[in-house]
Amino acid sequence: MPASIDPDRTEWDVVVIGGGPPGEVAAQYATQDSGLEAVIVEAELVGGECSYWACMPSKGLLRPVEVLDLGRHLAGVKEAIGDRTVDVDAVLARRDSIVNHLDDSSQVQWCMTTGIDVIRGHGRLDGERRVVVTKPDGGTRTITARQAVVLGTGTSASVPDIPGLRAARPWISRDVTNLHTVPRRVVIVGGGPVACEAATWLLGLGVVELTLVQDVPYLLAKNEPFAGAMVADGLRACGARVELGTTVRSVSRAEVNAAGCGEIHGGEVVVTLAKGATVVADEIVVAAGRRPRSDDIGLASVGVEAGGFVTVDDHLTVTGVRGGWLYAVGDVNGRALLTHMGKYQARIAGAVIAARAQGKPLDGGTFSRHLDHADHDQVPQVTFTEPAVGSVGLTERDARDAGIDVEAVEYDLAALGGTRVLRDDYVGRAKLVIDPSTDTVVGATFVGTEISDLVHGATIAIVTKTPLAALWHAVPSYPTPSEIWLRLLETLAKQRSDTEIPGRLEPT
């Protein structure tokens, strides 16, 4: 506990349960211009999952692997690299530096400098605006919020109820991002972003036999189908065995140990697939979804059902709680399980809390941001595989399911001059999903090397509902991958001309 906090203090204006990025940002935005005071209650590390066990360490592991892979596909560089591999010890040391060796003192210092107090312990609601904190020594402390309580407790890895799996003590996302020993043989259960990224860095760090098992017939199921197919091809090209449309029937491990996070948790693991095949590995990684941390935060004391995602309105106020004092931001509300979206929600929640405390209206200016539903159908995301996948908005399937009679246009990213200079064997594809009734983009997907920066341009086009006719005048720099925008517009114009689809695409 920071020395500046009075251990006998019982009241703050805002109490935030959970010190991940959404909790930090909610506290910041609630207090920075309002005169309100906030405290964050955190049982683990301030900075949360993203800083120590997810976004930051995973990208720290992926970047060296990505750079080496790129060099292997550039004439003049690949000859110098030869068959060299990454220096695993150096990569892991860099990862440790990125996560500050699991030391959150700098994050706590940021809070204190910003005027936000921090209490160590597990926070639990105990009626209206009241929070009981179980301290690390087992004692309790009760604090009260004058204005608002914000839930930012996040999610934890979900381990399916597969016979023998839990008993085998599989690695979860925290283990695989904080690994200290690289297993020779690995089985990954799952096919979403976490599974695909983990497969990428494990192969890059020297895993010899990697089997990825996904219960549906494609990877990255929330993306356009071609994205998952291209990532599967990329993993297979690196030596992975990708088993799609099958499940794990059972898992057995004769020797299980109490090794810590990121250490191998026992002897050989025998994984039996539903179709009868058996895979033997040194470790099994479960990346099969997340569950909300909502079952031990006292929701029943305020009349909210525990155990599931916490439902909120577009002010991030928890529904079913009278008085508008309880908020939920980030993964725990289930709207968009991404750090940047949780921080977006937190900016809104913090601003709304400050406005309500000051008696300001919420129907205009800064506070109208919630009306755009950006965390429903305008969500940007990048999966850092090879090739990488970037997307924002609706897929064609989702748009049609939502009742939009969309047009779609695709283009080969490898055909651009701006990508041919990036690597000698560039593979990629781009797709726009368009609502003809407004002539605006409602979804975009990019697959290829170094496509992440394309996503924000697409996000701006979607959020601002920029007409396609105006996009003709957003001139892409040459030679860069952004040239894809011009090629997509040209291809769409030709599609419309060939099929006599009315539209307003032609440049003005």
Side-chain angles (χ1 to χ4, degrees):
M1 180 189 301
S4 61
I5 297 179
D6 179 356
D8 297 320
R9 181 172 179 177
T10 60
E11 286 191 346
W12 280 263
D13 296 299
V14 182
V15 176
V16 180
I17 303 177
E24 291 175 310
V25 172
Q28 176 190 6
Y29 270 67
T31 60
Q32 62 187 2
D33 297 315
S34 65
L36 300 179
E37 297 177 312
V39 62
I40 290 174
V41 180
E42 174 55 58
E44 294 188 295
L45 298 178
V46 175
E49 203 79 15
C50 175
S51 298
Y52 303 102
W53 299 289
C55 317
M56 297 304 291
S58 65
K59 304 315 169 283
L61 294 170
L62 284 162
R63 183 57 176 167
V65 172
E66 176 189 20
V67 170
L68 181 62
D69 180 75
L70 183 59
R72 284 175 172 156
H73 295 85
L74 282 175
V77 178
K78 62 184 180 183
E79 291 81 3
I81 293 173
D83 59 358
R84 291 180 175 87
T85 61
V86 298
D87 184 321
V88 173
D89 290 341
V91 171
L92 298 185
R94 180 174 181 268
R95 184 272 320 275
D96 291 342
S97 175
I98 288 171
V99 300
N100 292 320
H101 301 275
L102 302 182
D103 178 355
D104 68 351
S105 56
S106 62
Q107 297 269 33
V108 173
Q109 184 61 42
W110 175 86
C111 290
M112 295 173 63
T113 303
T114 310
I116 300 165
D117 291 328
V118 175
I119 294 177
R120 300 284 191 182
H122 176 77
R124 185 181 293 104
L125 290 166
D126 185 34
E128 184 173 340
R129 294 186 175 88
R130 189 166 59 249
V131 175
V132 175
V133 181
T134 302
K135 298 182 289 186
D137 64 5
T140 60
R141 173 180 184 176
T142 300
I143 60 177
T144 303
R146 301 185 194 95
Q147 299 291 337
V149 175
V150 181
L151 306 176
T153 51
T155 58
S156 58
S158 178
V159 180
D161 190 18
I162 295 170
L165 177 59
R166 293 173 184 171
R169 294 194 71 233
W171 276 9
I172 58 174
S173 55
R174 286 191 173 193
D175 294 284
V176 75
T177 58
N178 279 263
L179 80 167
H180 302 292
T181 301
V182 179
R184 181 177 177 275
R185 302 166 297 176
V186 174
V187 172
I188 298 178
V189 181
V194 174
C196 292
E197 288 187 352
T200 300
W201 78 66
L202 287 172
L203 289 165
L205 292 177
V207 169
V208 177
E209 298 177 15
L210 188 143
T211 303
L212 189 149
V213 183
Q214 167 72 321
D215 58 359
V216 295
Y218 33 76
L219 300 180
L220 303 177
K222 294 183 179 180
N223 289 92
E224 295 285 357
F226 69 84
M230 295 176 80
V231 170
D233 288 344
L235 290 174
R236 290 187 180 105
C238 291
R241 173 183 173 186
V242 180
E243 293 283 351
L244 300 176
T246 191
T247 58
V248 174
R249 178 186 296 168
S250 65
V251 176
S252 63
R253 191 175 211 169
E255 298 177 12
V256 180
N257 63 35
C261 180
E263 300 287 358
I264 296 177
H265 290 169
E268 286 188 342
V269 183
V270 179
V271 181
T272 303
L273 304 184
K275 60 185 181 182
T278 297
V279 183
V280 179
D282 300 299
E283 193 54 84
I284 181 169
V285 179
V286 177
R290 310 282 299 178
R291 59 183 302 274
R293 292 177 175 167
S294 64
D295 54 359
D296 189 25
I297 56 175
L299 288 172
S301 72
V302 295
V304 177
E305 185 176 351
F309 289 109
V310 180
T311 305
V312 296
D313 62 19
D314 288 328
H315 287 119
L316 286 309
T317 313
V318 176
T319 59
V321 177
R322 288 183 296 181
W325 59 272
L326 184 61
Y327 298 76
V329 296
D331 285 12
V332 74
N333 66 36
R335 288 170 67 130
L337 276 63
L338 295 161
T339 296
H340 47 276
M341 298 310 299
K343 292 167 72 173
Y344 166 77
Q345 295 171 5
R347 291 193 291 273
I348 294 170
V352 167
I353 290 167
R356 283 176 169 163
Q358 296 170 327
K360 294 181 179 179
L362 303 178
D363 57 356
T366 301
F367 314 112
S368 66
R369 288 177 297 188
H370 69 280
L371 298 174
D372 289 329
H373 303 287
D375 59 357
H376 284 312
D377 53 16
Q378 300 170 357
V379 177
Q381 181 175 12
V382 178
T383 301
F384 294 84
T385 45
E386 179 49 52
V389 177
S391 64
V392 59
L394 300 172
T395 63
E396 182 178 359
R397 179 184 60 249
D398 289 341
R400 295 194 187 281
D401 289 346
I404 305 173
D405 187 17
V406 293
E407 294 176 72
V409 58
E410 299 185 31
Y411 198 85
D412 183 2
L413 270 161
L416 304 178
T419 58
R420 289 201 300 272
V421 301
L422 291 179
R423 59 187 293 152
D424 298 338
D425 59 349
Y426 196 97
V427 174
R429 193 151 196 84
K431 179 174 181 176
L432 296 182
V433 181
I434 296 140
D435 181 352
S437 68
T438 58
D439 225 34
T440 58
V441 180
V442 295
T445 299
F446 308 97
V447 179
T449 300
E450 297 190 18
I451 50 80
S452 57
D453 288 341
L454 294 173
V455 176
H456 193 58
T459 304
I460 292 171
I462 291 171
V463 171
T464 61
K465 299 177 174 59
T466 304
L468 295 182
L471 290 179
W472 281 95
H473 302 287
V475 181
S477 299
Y478 184 86
T480 70
S482 61
E483 184 189 359
I484 190 61
W485 282 95
L486 174 58
R487 301 304 171 218
L488 286 165
L489 292 174
E490 290 174 338
T491 303
L492 182 60
K494 185 176 187 306
Q495 284 182 191
R496 287 180 170 180
S497 174
D498 289 347
T499 57
E500 298 182 354
I501 297 175
R504 301 181 297 280
L505 179 66
E506 294 77 12
T508 57

